Amino acid sequence: MVHVLSSRTLLRPTDPERSRAFYGEKLGLPVYREFGTGPERGTVYFLGGGFLEVAGRSEEPPSPAVKLWLQVADAAAAYEELVAAGVEVRRPPVKEPWGLIEMWLTDPDGTEIVVVEVPADHPLRYRP
């Protein structure tokens, strides 16, 4: 069995500076580490229990199959912070039929990001 010590999602943006501004300034993700120099340098952001690495450059945006799931404590508060930072929210927080509160936005390359609040009474929070 593979013993995973750490993990991260790798994004190769079409415009690295624009993506760093989005993830670091607009979303306010804290930086874990940076490496390299120049416009294609790498920046790794904390994502709760994981990491997001924005590094290099791609001629094409990431596949639409790639999506980020970011859990927050309060989706309504996150919504207010994101709107105040100038982030275009595609859909404000809504309680879904499956019980999660979800808000949707996209990064500059169109990668979909779902910001999720898990209510206290949701099965993800407890075991019967």
Side-chain angles (χ1 to χ4, degrees):
M1 178 164 177
V2 175
H3 180 73
V4 178
L5 299 176
S6 180
S7 65
R8 64 179 67 168
T9 299
L10 306 175
L11 285 182
R12 302 290 183 248
T14 57
D15 183 336
E17 291 297 335
R18 181 180 68 178
S19 291
R20 268 192 288 282
F22 177 79
Y23 286 105
E25 296 167 24
K26 298 223 180 221
L27 291 191
L29 297 179
V31 173
Y32 169 66
R33 71 180 288 256
E34 295 180 288
F35 56 91
T37 59
E40 296 176 24
R41 70 189 180 279
T43 305
V44 181
Y45 298 97
F46 281 105
L47 285 182
F51 300 97
L52 172 68
E53 179 178 315
V54 176
R57 180 184 300 268
S58 175
E59 295 300 316
E60 299 295 324
S63 164
V66 173
K67 306 201 184 319
L68 297 177
W69 193 92
L70 306 178
Q71 183 179 344
V72 298
D74 184 337
Y79 173 75
E80 296 299 327
E81 290 175 28
L82 291 170
V83 169
V87 174
E88 183 180 333
V89 176
R90 287 189 21 231
R91 195 188 77 181
V94 172
K95 187 165 188 176
E96 300 292 355
W98 46 90
L100 298 176
I101 299 168
E102 297 185 3
M103 165 176 52
W104 286 85
L105 49 129
T106 57
D107 82 354
D109 279 328
T111 299
E112 290 186 310
I113 302 168
V114 59
V115 178
V116 177
E117 176 184 338
V118 181
D121 62 347
H122 194 276
L124 286 175
R125 292 268 192 145
Y126 71 93
R127 297 281 184 242

